[in-house]
Amino acid sequence: MKRLPFLLPSDPEAPFPPGERALNEPDGLLAVGGDLSPARLLNAYRSGVFPWPSEGYPLLWWCPDPRTVFHTDAVRLSSKFRRGLRRSAWTVRADTAFEAVIAACAAAPRPGQDGTWIVPAMIEAYTRMHRLGHAHSIEVFDGEALVGGIYGIAIGRMFYGESMFSAVSGGSKVALAALARRLHGWGWPLLDAQVENPHLLSLGARSLPRARFLAQAAELAAAPGFAPGAWTGRFGELAVAELADPLPPGLELPAP
C-alpha cells in the first residue's frame, strides 16, 4: 500500500501533496495528521483538499476523483417543487445562525452512514472559521423557525460546500438553490459538493475529473473575491418565492 504523507501539527502552512497523488482505494485519501487550524484549512481548500475525520484514525484529508460540483446556474428543482415555492412564506438569510446550522448538519441522519464526520473538533474549527469570516451559512426560515441550511468555506470566487440539512421537507433544497442563485449573481460559477450521492445528482450535481476540478477551483480561489466577513448584508433576505422561476440561460444577476 502506498505510504501516505503525515502532516505535522506544528507546521500548518506546510503545502499539501498534489491531489493527483491521492489513493484510488479508498478514493481520494491524500494525507493524514495535521490539525484544523484556520491556516491549515485555508491551505487545504486552496489545494482542493478537505478534512473528513473517521473515528479511530488520525485526521484524514481527501481529494476524490471525480469531484462532485454544482454549476451555480444549473441547480435543478422539479416543476412540482417550484410550484410549491410560489406559495411559500419562507425566507433565506446568511450568517445569522451559523452555529445552529452546523449543529443541525451534525445531527442530521444520513442513509447508509453510521454517525457523522462533523465531530466536535470539526464544529469548533468551522465555527472559528466563521468568526474569522471564511465560513458561511445559508439559513432557511419559516418565520423565526430554522427549517433548512447549508454551510461551507468561501475563498476568492470559489465556494466549498460542506454539509446541508432539512428540518422540514425541502429545506436543504431551498438553501442550496438560494446559495447558488446568489453565487451566480456575484459571478461565482462553481460550488464544490465533494462526493456524489443520489440526492445531489437529483438536484443537478455533476462530476468533474479531479484534474479539471483542481485547475478550475485553483483559478477561482485565486480570483478577487470578497474580504473575509459576514455575508448577512451582502446576501440580503431572499423570499423563497423568488426561486420558483429558474434563471433564463445566460442571465447574469446583479449583485444585491
Side-chain angles (χ1 to χ4, degrees), residues 20 24 35 47 51 64 92 95 100 115 133 161 175 177 212 223 225 231-232 242 246 249:
E20 292 84 353
N24 294 324
D35 58 12
S47 304
V92 188
D95 288 342
R212 187 187 305 172
W231 281 4
T232 307
E242 294 180 38

Side-chain angles (χ1 to χ4, degrees), residues 12 14 18 20 22 26 30 35 41 82 100 138 188 194 200 215 228 244:
E20 292 84 353
L30 179 66
D35 58 12
L41 286 170
R82 288 184 184 278
I138 307 304
W188 298 35
Q194 298 182 347
L200 296 179

Side-chain angles (χ1 to χ4, degrees), residues 51-53 105 110 113 115-119 122 151 162-163 194:
W52 196 353
C105 288
R110 314 282 176 181
Q113 182 177 305
T116 179
W117 76 96
I118 310 174
V119 294
M122 290 281 280
Y151 77 95
E162 272 294 312
S163 187
Q194 298 182 347

Side-chain angles (χ1 to χ4, degrees), residues 37-38 41-42 124-135 153:
S37 64
L41 286 170
L42 290 173
E124 180 181 353
Y126 283 81
T127 300
R128 185 185 308 120
M129 291 288 280
H130 170 67
R131 290 171 181 160
L132 292 171
H134 302 296
I153 300 289

Side-chain angles (χ1 to χ4, degrees), residues 59-149:
L59 184 58
L60 304 178
W61 300 89
W62 302 80
C63 187
D65 187 18
R67 191 67 161 248
T68 302
V69 302
F70 286 95
H71 295 283
T72 58
D73 61 348
V75 171
R76 185 169 61 230
L77 302 177
S78 70
S79 297
K80 180 180 179 181
F81 189 76
R82 288 184 184 278
R83 286 196 297 272
L85 294 182
R86 291 190 176 92
R87 301 187 298 272
S88 176
W90 291 0
T91 56
V92 188
R93 302 196 288 269
D95 288 342
T96 68
F98 184 90
E99 292 184 38
V101 168
I102 196 170
C105 288
R110 314 282 176 181
Q113 182 177 305
D114 184 19
T116 179
W117 76 96
I118 310 174
V119 294
M122 290 281 280
I123 293 175
E124 180 181 353
Y126 283 81
T127 300
R128 185 185 308 120
M129 291 288 280
H130 170 67
R131 290 171 181 160
L132 292 171
H134 302 296
H136 303 281
S137 59
I138 307 304
E139 309 127 7
V140 185
F141 289 95
D142 182 1
E144 292 304 311
L146 184 65
V147 297

Side-chain angles (χ1 to χ4, degrees), residues 183-208:
L183 293 177
H184 177 62
W186 297 337
W188 298 35
L190 210 60
L191 194 167
D192 178 31
Q194 298 182 347
V195 294
E196 73 174 42
N197 62 46
H199 179 59
L200 296 179
L201 294 176
S202 73
L203 293 170
R206 295 289 181 265
S207 294
L208 286 183

Side-chain angles (χ1 to χ4, degrees), residues 146-183:
L146 184 65
V147 297
I150 186 172
Y151 77 95
I153 300 289
I155 303 177
R157 288 171 52 210
M158 183 70 198
F159 193 90
Y160 301 88
E162 272 294 312
S163 187
M164 57 186 182
F165 83 97
S166 292
V168 176
S169 179
S172 64
K173 293 181 184 180
V174 166
L176 174 66
L179 171 60
R181 180 71 63 103
R182 283 293 191 250
L183 293 177

